[in-house]
Amino acid sequence: MTTTDDQEFREIESAGAPTRFARGWHCLGLLKDFRDGKPHQIKAFGTELVVFQGENDGQLHILDAYCRHMGGNLAKGQVKGDSIACPFHDWRWGGNGRCTGIPYARRVPPVAKTKSWPVLERNGQLFVWHDPENSKPTDEVTIPELPGYGTDEWTDWNWSSIVIEGSHCREIVDNIVDMAHFFYIHFAFPRYFKNVFEGHVAGQFMNSTPRDDIGIGSSYDNPDSRLESEAHYYGPSYMVDVLRNYVGDRLVETDLINCHYPIDNNSFVLMYGARVKKPAGISDERANAMAQKFTDGVKVGFEQDVAIWLDKAPIDNPLLSEEDGPVYQLRRWYQQFYTDIADVTEDMTKRFEFEIDTTRAVESWQAEVDENIAAGRVHRAAR
């Protein structure tokens, strides 16, 4: 607190963004975008990576992008067999990081090895494991398999990405406990809201309805619809949101992915995608159009968030009301991914549950909505 002549007021505290990158699985995008026979350069974790698919083994591999021989950029080279060839001197590097051949040399130096990054292919997406301690990922912290992926029951992913400059990726994680912003930023009306943290998983359970004082722009957003959402972060950067939207007597089931990876300490790539369970009697074309429309709506929502992140102050000591949710508990949970494994404490991983009493919020927001309608003030929800 700071004291002036007539009052005390709270100062904003901020220690700055973490100087290390989070331990955990990070999604880099859709598998199909990397399976084209070409090397792909990814700027992540303050360095450069190269992703390539072996011609023979068919596997995706991730290495440091710069050749350990003379620093050539492997992402500018060619895939040759199951190796990536440097464009500078044609040194070949296998998926395990070992040099597999030097065309002009009699032998490969025994120490010729570069960094190979652990890879996971799951749910049609590519993941890379990052840990400054170079630990190996375990089954306990893996990414769950989504039911029905790859079957005719569901559409394929409708996928988008955006680069966020000037903000740390921890800003997006705060949203999982932030009930109130759904009303003011996203024009939703939370009726039930609960968080559960345990181990490497942070969950959000929310039931909501559309606001009556907005212009409806999506076929999902029937004024009489209701949405049940169960969202879980699996590790520091990959969230699966299972959505059940009830529109009259129809149920629309959607899986939303919200994920990111850091470029550096002050920028990150935000990706999101949706798939829809095909309702009975709906053509593939219609189901894909539904997924596209839903993703378009999600895009607007993320753009609304981004506008806030880029114009807000980072704050380590937020001043909270009871209805603001367990922000400090979430941040303790999140801290485990920026801490050496030996230093992770019980309060970062033990089970924690918190349900917000929405009674006051619902009464206040309903009064605001009624007043807006009476005054003819209608918000337009761009979709």
Side-chain angles (χ1 to χ4, degrees):
M1 288 287 188
T2 297
T3 302
T4 65
D5 290 340
D6 56 353
Q7 64 177 348
E8 289 186 347
F9 60 90
R10 189 181 183 95
E11 295 278 6
I12 287 180
E13 297 176 2
S14 177
T19 56
R20 66 192 289 174
F21 300 103
R23 177 182 59 256
W25 286 112
H26 294 75
C27 180
L28 297 181
L30 298 181
L31 288 172
K32 64 182 180 181
D33 292 336
F34 296 100
R35 288 178 169 160
D36 58 1
K38 302 176 183 178
H40 295 261
Q41 187 167 351
I42 300 290
K43 185 185 293 289
F45 311 113
T47 188
E48 303 284 346
L49 311 178
V50 60
V51 181
F52 71 96
Q53 182 181 24
E55 291 179 327
N56 302 317
D57 65 18
Q59 299 298 307
L60 289 171
H61 307 285
I62 302 177
L63 304 177
D64 277 5
Y66 296 117
C67 181
R68 293 320 197 238
H69 171 223
M70 291 290 285
N73 188 345
L74 299 178
K76 305 302 181 184
Q78 291 181 287
V79 178
K80 297 182 178 180
D82 289 334
S83 300
I84 182 74
C86 179
F88 201 176
H89 300 93
D90 205 28
W91 283 43
R92 318 284 176 84
W93 301 91
N96 63 0
R98 294 195 176 277
C99 182
T100 59
I102 306 170
Y104 62 86
R106 283 183 299 212
R107 68 184 185 92
V108 174
V111 295
K113 192 173 188 303
T114 188
K115 182 174 180 179
S116 174
W117 296 65
V119 172
L120 176 67
E121 299 182 15
R122 182 143 298 171
N123 304 325
Q125 297 148 11
L126 175 66
F127 297 83
V128 62
W129 175 262
H130 173 269
D131 182 13
E133 296 182 279
N134 292 317
S135 72
K136 301 300 182 185
T138 64
D139 290 341
E140 286 74 19
V141 296
T142 197
I143 301 297
E145 295 185 25
L146 297 180
Y149 177 75
T151 70
D152 290 337
E153 285 186 279
W154 292 79
T155 68
D156 201 356
W157 294 111
N158 194 290
W159 199 259
S160 295
S161 66
I162 182 173
V163 175
I164 310 298
E165 300 277 2
S167 184
H168 192 272
C169 51
R170 65 182 176 180
E171 295 286 354
I172 192 173
V173 179
D174 277 346
N175 278 3
I176 203 166
V177 296
D178 190 349
M179 177 195 71
H181 96 286
F182 284 99
F183 181 85
Y184 295 106
I185 305 299
H186 304 311
F187 302 110
F189 209 133
R191 308 281 180 168
Y192 170 83
F193 199 94
K194 180 179 180 179
N195 290 113
V196 179
F197 313 143
E198 187 170 20
H200 76 295
V201 181
Q204 175 203 89
F205 301 83
M206 180 174 68
N207 296 342
S208 64
T209 57
R211 285 176 56 172
D212 295 331
D213 60 337
I214 64 171
I216 301 299
S218 165
S219 61
Y220 282 33
D221 290 336
N222 184 298
D224 298 321
S225 68
R226 60 186 176 89
L227 180 67
E228 296 177 355
S229 166
E230 295 185 6
H232 290 87
Y233 266 101
Y234 296 94
S237 66
Y238 184 78
M239 189 188 83
V240 179
D241 192 356
V242 178
L243 300 160
R244 293 181 294 274
N245 196 288
Y246 296 88
V247 184
D249 59 356
R250 185 178 61 158
L251 168 63
V252 180
E253 297 179 74
T254 307
D255 285 344
L256 169 66
I257 302 298
N258 161 20
C259 58
H260 60 270
Y261 64 85
I263 298 172
D264 53 37
N265 287 326
N266 200 40
S267 62
F268 62 97
V269 174
L270 170 65
M271 292 176 290
Y272 51 95
R275 66 171 189 156
V276 174
K277 190 171 185 179
K278 300 173 185 177
I282 296 293
S283 67
D284 287 354
E285 182 180 10
R286 174 60 179 153
N288 289 328
M290 291 171 63
Q292 176 67 59
K293 195 169 188 65
F294 183 84
T295 307
D296 289 345
V298 171
K299 178 177 183 292
V300 172
F302 277 125
E303 288 174 347
Q304 291 166 334
D305 280 327
V306 170
I308 296 292
W309 299 335
L310 296 182
D311 206 32
K312 71 178 290 294
I315 180 169
D316 294 339
N317 62 332
L319 180 61
L320 305 176
S321 71
E322 291 180 18
E323 288 75 16
D324 281 317
V327 175
Y328 286 99
Q329 289 86 347
L330 172 73
R331 291 184 176 186
R332 279 200 293 273
W333 170 85
Y334 187 59
Q335 187 60 35
Q336 68 179 288
F337 307 112
Y338 292 86
T339 302
D340 287 352
I341 293 175
D343 297 328
V344 173
T345 55
E346 183 184 3
D347 65 337
M348 297 177 186
T349 60
K350 69 179 180 181
R351 185 176 179 86
F352 173 86
E353 298 187 27
F354 188 88
E355 180 179 336
I356 293 178
D357 183 350
T358 62
T359 304
R360 169 63 181 168
V362 168
E363 291 176 353
S364 175
W365 289 338
Q366 189 61 60
E368 179 178 335
V369 167
D370 292 343
E371 181 180 341
N372 286 339
I373 293 173
R377 294 189 295 266
V378 177
H379 299 278
R380 294 296 173 184
R383 296 282 176 163

